[in-house]
mmCIF file of all heavy atoms in Angstrom:
data_model
loop_
_atom_site.group_PDB
_atom_site.id
_atom_site.type_symbol
_atom_site.label_atom_id
_atom_site.label_comp_id
_atom_site.label_asym_id
_atom_site.label_seq_id
_atom_site.Cartn_x
_atom_site.Cartn_y
_atom_site.Cartn_z
ATOM 1 N N LYS S 26 -4.672 11.388 -1.767
ATOM 2 C CA LYS S 26 -4.324 9.976 -1.616
ATOM 3 C C LYS S 26 -4.383 9.316 -2.980
ATOM 4 O O LYS S 26 -5.411 9.360 -3.661
ATOM 5 C CB LYS S 26 -5.286 9.262 -0.660
ATOM 6 C CG LYS S 26 -4.922 7.805 -0.415
ATOM 7 C CD LYS S 26 -3.608 7.664 0.326
ATOM 8 C CE LYS S 26 -3.166 6.226 0.448
ATOM 9 N NZ LYS S 26 -1.915 6.102 1.210
ATOM 10 N N ILE S 27 -3.275 8.754 -3.362
ATOM 11 C CA ILE S 27 -3.172 8.086 -4.652
ATOM 12 C C ILE S 27 -2.888 6.613 -4.396
ATOM 13 O O ILE S 27 -1.902 6.268 -3.731
ATOM 14 C CB ILE S 27 -2.060 8.732 -5.514
ATOM 15 C CG1 ILE S 27 -2.442 10.182 -5.828
ATOM 16 C CG2 ILE S 27 -1.837 7.942 -6.793
ATOM 17 C CD1 ILE S 27 -1.283 11.062 -6.216
ATOM 18 N N TYR S 28 -3.788 5.749 -4.893
ATOM 19 C CA TYR S 28 -3.571 4.308 -4.814
ATOM 20 C C TYR S 28 -2.937 3.851 -6.118
ATOM 21 O O TYR S 28 -3.425 4.185 -7.192
ATOM 22 C CB TYR S 28 -4.893 3.573 -4.611
ATOM 23 C CG TYR S 28 -5.523 3.779 -3.248
ATOM 24 C CD1 TYR S 28 -6.738 4.439 -3.124
ATOM 25 C CD2 TYR S 28 -4.912 3.314 -2.098
ATOM 26 C CE1 TYR S 28 -7.338 4.621 -1.890
ATOM 27 C CE2 TYR S 28 -5.494 3.492 -0.846
ATOM 28 C CZ TYR S 28 -6.708 4.142 -0.752
ATOM 29 O OH TYR S 28 -7.284 4.323 0.469
ATOM 30 N N GLU S 29 -1.885 3.093 -6.009
ATOM 31 C CA GLU S 29 -1.220 2.556 -7.197
ATOM 32 C C GLU S 29 -1.182 1.041 -7.098
ATOM 33 O O GLU S 29 -0.733 0.483 -6.099
ATOM 34 C CB GLU S 29 0.210 3.099 -7.305
ATOM 35 C CG GLU S 29 0.244 4.588 -7.618
ATOM 36 C CD GLU S 29 1.658 5.112 -7.810
ATOM 37 O OE1 GLU S 29 2.330 4.652 -8.741
ATOM 38 O OE2 GLU S 29 2.078 5.960 -7.009
ATOM 39 N N GLN S 30 -1.712 0.399 -8.110
ATOM 40 C CA GLN S 30 -1.661 -1.063 -8.190
ATOM 41 C C GLN S 30 -1.093 -1.413 -9.558
ATOM 42 O O GLN S 30 -1.832 -1.409 -10.545
ATOM 43 C CB GLN S 30 -3.054 -1.670 -8.036
ATOM 44 C CG GLN S 30 -3.646 -1.533 -6.630
ATOM 45 C CD GLN S 30 -5.068 -2.052 -6.548
ATOM 46 O OE1 GLN S 30 -5.914 -1.725 -7.366
ATOM 47 N NE2 GLN S 30 -5.338 -2.874 -5.549
ATOM 48 N N MET S 33 -2.113 0.625 -12.638
ATOM 49 C CA MET S 33 -3.309 1.396 -12.283
ATOM 50 C C MET S 33 -2.978 2.448 -11.225
ATOM 51 O O MET S 33 -2.410 2.136 -10.186
ATOM 52 C CB MET S 33 -4.397 0.467 -11.730
ATOM 53 C CG MET S 33 -4.895 -0.563 -12.723
ATOM 54 S SD MET S 33 -6.019 0.166 -13.918
ATOM 55 C CE MET S 33 -7.454 0.417 -12.884
ATOM 56 N N VAL S 34 -3.335 3.674 -11.528
ATOM 57 C CA VAL S 34 -3.152 4.769 -10.574
ATOM 58 C C VAL S 34 -4.519 5.419 -10.363
ATOM 59 O O VAL S 34 -5.190 5.778 -11.329
ATOM 60 C CB VAL S 34 -2.151 5.813 -11.113
ATOM 61 C CG1 VAL S 34 -2.024 6.979 -10.138
ATOM 62 C CG2 VAL S 34 -0.790 5.179 -11.359
ATOM 63 N N PHE S 35 -4.923 5.519 -9.097
ATOM 64 C CA PHE S 35 -6.240 6.100 -8.805
ATOM 65 C C PHE S 35 -6.099 7.139 -7.701
ATOM 66 O O PHE S 35 -5.563 6.856 -6.628
ATOM 67 C CB PHE S 35 -7.230 5.010 -8.379
ATOM 68 C CG PHE S 35 -8.614 5.540 -8.168
ATOM 69 C CD1 PHE S 35 -9.458 5.739 -9.252
ATOM 70 C CD2 PHE S 35 -9.055 5.877 -6.898
ATOM 71 C CE1 PHE S 35 -10.739 6.256 -9.071
ATOM 72 C CE2 PHE S 35 -10.327 6.400 -6.695
ATOM 73 C CZ PHE S 35 -11.166 6.586 -7.787
ATOM 74 N N GLU S 36 -6.598 8.318 -7.983
ATOM 75 C CA GLU S 36 -6.536 9.400 -6.988
ATOM 76 C C GLU S 36 -7.847 9.425 -6.211
ATOM 77 O O GLU S 36 -8.872 9.897 -6.703
ATOM 78 C CB GLU S 36 -6.290 10.744 -7.696
ATOM 79 C CG GLU S 36 -5.948 11.856 -6.733
ATOM 80 C CD GLU S 36 -5.514 13.134 -7.441
ATOM 81 O OE1 GLU S 36 -5.818 13.300 -8.628
ATOM 82 O OE2 GLU S 36 -4.871 13.965 -6.780
ATOM 83 N N ALA S 37 -7.813 8.888 -5.005
ATOM 84 C CA ALA S 37 -9.032 8.764 -4.193
ATOM 85 C C ALA S 37 -9.361 10.069 -3.471
ATOM 86 O O ALA S 37 -10.538 10.359 -3.230
ATOM 87 C CB ALA S 37 -8.870 7.629 -3.190
ATOM 88 N N LEU S 38 -8.348 10.845 -3.094
ATOM 89 C CA LEU S 38 -8.562 12.150 -2.460
ATOM 90 C C LEU S 38 -7.774 13.190 -3.243
ATOM 91 O O LEU S 38 -6.580 13.014 -3.488
ATOM 92 C CB LEU S 38 -8.103 12.130 -0.992
ATOM 93 C CG LEU S 38 -8.811 11.132 -0.067
ATOM 94 C CD1 LEU S 38 -8.168 11.164 1.323
ATOM 95 C CD2 LEU S 38 -10.302 11.412 0.031
ATOM 96 N N LEU S 53 -19.360 12.845 8.047
ATOM 97 C CA LEU S 53 -18.656 12.662 6.778
ATOM 98 C C LEU S 53 -19.589 11.905 5.838
ATOM 99 O O LEU S 53 -19.906 10.738 6.081
ATOM 100 C CB LEU S 53 -17.367 11.873 7.030
ATOM 101 C CG LEU S 53 -16.495 11.539 5.823
ATOM 102 C CD1 LEU S 53 -16.068 12.784 5.077
ATOM 103 C CD2 LEU S 53 -15.288 10.738 6.280
ATOM 104 N N MET S 54 -20.062 12.572 4.814
ATOM 105 C CA MET S 54 -21.068 11.981 3.937
ATOM 106 C C MET S 54 -20.621 12.055 2.482
ATOM 107 O O MET S 54 -19.956 13.009 2.084
ATOM 108 C CB MET S 54 -22.402 12.711 4.097
ATOM 109 C CG MET S 54 -22.952 12.664 5.510
ATOM 110 S SD MET S 54 -24.636 13.275 5.642
ATOM 111 C CE MET S 54 -24.407 14.987 5.255
ATOM 112 N N GLY S 55 -20.998 11.055 1.716
ATOM 113 C CA GLY S 55 -20.681 11.056 0.299
ATOM 114 C C GLY S 55 -21.044 9.715 -0.306
ATOM 115 O O GLY S 55 -21.173 8.728 0.418
ATOM 116 N N PRO S 56 -21.184 9.657 -1.607
ATOM 117 C CA PRO S 56 -21.548 8.394 -2.259
ATOM 118 C C PRO S 56 -20.455 7.346 -2.115
ATOM 119 O O PRO S 56 -19.305 7.663 -1.781
ATOM 120 C CB PRO S 56 -21.766 8.787 -3.722
ATOM 121 C CG PRO S 56 -21.085 10.101 -3.896
ATOM 122 C CD PRO S 56 -21.055 10.765 -2.570
ATOM 123 N N SER S 57 -20.813 6.096 -2.363
ATOM 124 C CA SER S 57 -19.849 5.009 -2.309
ATOM 125 C C SER S 57 -18.691 5.289 -3.266
ATOM 126 O O SER S 57 -18.908 5.664 -4.424
ATOM 127 C CB SER S 57 -20.544 3.685 -2.684
ATOM 128 O OG SER S 57 -19.621 2.634 -2.618
ATOM 129 N N GLY S 58 -17.486 5.139 -2.741
ATOM 130 C CA GLY S 58 -16.297 5.357 -3.571
ATOM 131 C C GLY S 58 -15.785 6.785 -3.546
ATOM 132 O O GLY S 58 -14.805 7.107 -4.228
ATOM 133 N N SER S 59 -16.431 7.654 -2.755
ATOM 134 C CA SER S 59 -16.009 9.063 -2.747
ATOM 135 C C SER S 59 -14.799 9.313 -1.857
ATOM 136 O O SER S 59 -14.251 10.419 -1.868
ATOM 137 C CB SER S 59 -17.180 9.965 -2.314
ATOM 138 O OG SER S 59 -17.614 9.628 -1.018
ATOM 139 N N GLY S 60 -14.403 8.301 -1.065
ATOM 140 C CA GLY S 60 -13.172 8.436 -0.290
ATOM 141 C C GLY S 60 -13.355 8.595 1.206
ATOM 142 O O GLY S 60 -12.422 8.968 1.916
ATOM 143 N N LYS S 61 -14.546 8.291 1.713
ATOM 144 C CA LYS S 61 -14.803 8.452 3.152
ATOM 145 C C LYS S 61 -13.878 7.576 3.993
ATOM 146 O O LYS S 61 -13.253 8.042 4.942
ATOM 147 C CB LYS S 61 -16.273 8.104 3.475
ATOM 148 C CG LYS S 61 -17.286 8.945 2.727
ATOM 149 C CD LYS S 61 -18.714 8.555 3.077
ATOM 150 C CE LYS S 61 -19.081 7.129 2.722
ATOM 151 N NZ LYS S 61 -19.130 6.865 1.272
ATOM 152 N N THR S 62 -13.796 6.292 3.639
ATOM 153 C CA THR S 62 -12.945 5.379 4.413
ATOM 154 C C THR S 62 -11.479 5.763 4.254
ATOM 155 O O THR S 62 -10.708 5.739 5.231
ATOM 156 C CB THR S 62 -13.184 3.918 3.971
ATOM 157 O OG1 THR S 62 -14.527 3.559 4.315
ATOM 158 C CG2 THR S 62 -12.224 2.958 4.650
ATOM 159 N N THR S 63 -11.100 6.139 3.048
ATOM 160 C CA THR S 63 -9.721 6.593 2.815
ATOM 161 C C THR S 63 -9.392 7.763 3.737
ATOM 162 O O THR S 63 -8.326 7.790 4.379
ATOM 163 C CB THR S 63 -9.565 7.007 1.340
ATOM 164 O OG1 THR S 63 -9.860 5.882 0.509
ATOM 165 C CG2 THR S 63 -8.161 7.495 1.053
ATOM 166 N N LEU S 64 -10.300 8.711 3.832
ATOM 167 C CA LEU S 64 -10.067 9.887 4.687
ATOM 168 C C LEU S 64 -10.016 9.492 6.157
ATOM 169 O O LEU S 64 -9.137 9.947 6.910
ATOM 170 C CB LEU S 64 -11.170 10.932 4.445
ATOM 171 C CG LEU S 64 -10.974 12.267 5.137
ATOM 172 C CD1 LEU S 64 -9.740 12.981 4.604
ATOM 173 C CD2 LEU S 64 -12.201 13.148 4.976
ATOM 174 N N MET S 65 -10.934 8.608 6.589
ATOM 175 C CA MET S 65 -10.950 8.196 7.996
ATOM 176 C C MET S 65 -9.694 7.404 8.370
ATOM 177 O O MET S 65 -9.229 7.478 9.506
ATOM 178 C CB MET S 65 -12.209 7.372 8.291
ATOM 179 C CG MET S 65 -13.487 8.202 8.346
ATOM 180 S SD MET S 65 -13.379 9.615 9.448
ATOM 181 C CE MET S 65 -13.116 8.799 11.017
ATOM 182 N N GLN S 66 -9.148 6.664 7.415
ATOM 183 C CA GLN S 66 -7.909 5.930 7.697
ATOM 184 C C GLN S 66 -6.749 6.894 7.918
ATOM 185 O O GLN S 66 -5.854 6.621 8.724
ATOM 186 C CB GLN S 66 -7.600 4.959 6.551
ATOM 187 C CG GLN S 66 -8.504 3.731 6.601
ATOM 188 C CD GLN S 66 -8.342 2.832 5.387
ATOM 189 O OE1 GLN S 66 -7.874 3.265 4.345
ATOM 190 N NE2 GLN S 66 -8.744 1.595 5.524
ATOM 191 N N ASP S 72 -3.257 5.203 7.851
ATOM 192 C CA ASP S 72 -2.654 5.376 6.531
ATOM 193 C C ASP S 72 -2.115 6.803 6.454
ATOM 194 O O ASP S 72 -2.468 7.655 7.279
ATOM 195 C CB ASP S 72 -3.706 5.128 5.438
ATOM 196 C CG ASP S 72 -3.077 4.679 4.121
ATOM 197 O OD1 ASP S 72 -1.840 4.770 3.977
ATOM 198 O OD2 ASP S 72 -3.832 4.248 3.236
HETATM 199 N N1 LIG V 1 -6.380 -0.104 -1.062
HETATM 200 C C1 LIG V 1 -6.897 0.402 -2.191
HETATM 201 N N2 LIG V 1 -6.287 0.226 -3.367
HETATM 202 C C2 LIG V 1 -6.774 0.746 -4.507
HETATM 203 N N3 LIG V 1 -7.888 1.522 -4.563
HETATM 204 C C3 LIG V 1 -8.547 1.736 -3.412
HETATM 205 C C4 LIG V 1 -8.091 1.195 -2.170
HETATM 206 N N4 LIG V 1 -8.943 1.596 -1.184
HETATM 207 C C5 LIG V 1 -9.885 2.327 -1.799
HETATM 208 N N5 LIG V 1 -9.661 2.418 -3.115
HETATM 209 C C6 LIG V 1 -10.466 3.167 -4.108
HETATM 210 O O1 LIG V 1 -10.546 4.523 -3.659
HETATM 211 C C7 LIG V 1 -11.870 5.032 -3.844
HETATM 212 C C8 LIG V 1 -12.427 5.505 -2.514
HETATM 213 O O2 LIG V 1 -12.659 4.365 -1.707
HETATM 214 P P1 LIG V 1 -13.221 4.475 -0.225
HETATM 215 O O3 LIG V 1 -13.262 3.066 0.302
HETATM 216 O O4 LIG V 1 -12.425 5.473 0.553
HETATM 217 O O5 LIG V 1 -14.689 5.049 -0.481
HETATM 218 P P2 LIG V 1 -15.917 5.147 0.526
HETATM 219 O O6 LIG V 1 -16.468 6.548 0.377
HETATM 220 O O7 LIG V 1 -15.505 4.732 1.898
HETATM 221 O O8 LIG V 1 -16.948 4.102 -0.102
HETATM 222 P P3 LIG V 1 -18.104 3.245 0.646
HETATM 223 O O9 LIG V 1 -19.241 4.194 0.931
HETATM 224 O O10 LIG V 1 -18.477 2.199 -0.378
HETATM 225 O O11 LIG V 1 -17.509 2.642 1.890
HETATM 226 C C9 LIG V 1 -12.689 3.905 -4.514
HETATM 227 O O12 LIG V 1 -12.679 4.120 -5.916
HETATM 228 C C10 LIG V 1 -11.897 2.650 -4.145
HETATM 229 O O13 LIG V 1 -12.035 1.662 -5.164
#
Side-chain angles (χ1 to χ4, degrees):
K26 183 66 186 182
I27 296 159
Y28 290 115
E29 291 184 62
Q30 291 176 311
M33 297 283 287
V34 177
F35 184 81
E36 191 172 20
L38 299 176
L53 178 58
M54 300 190 293
S57 181
S59 60
K61 301 180 298 292
T62 295
T63 300
L64 187 64
M65 287 308 297
Q66 284 173 339
D72 206 348

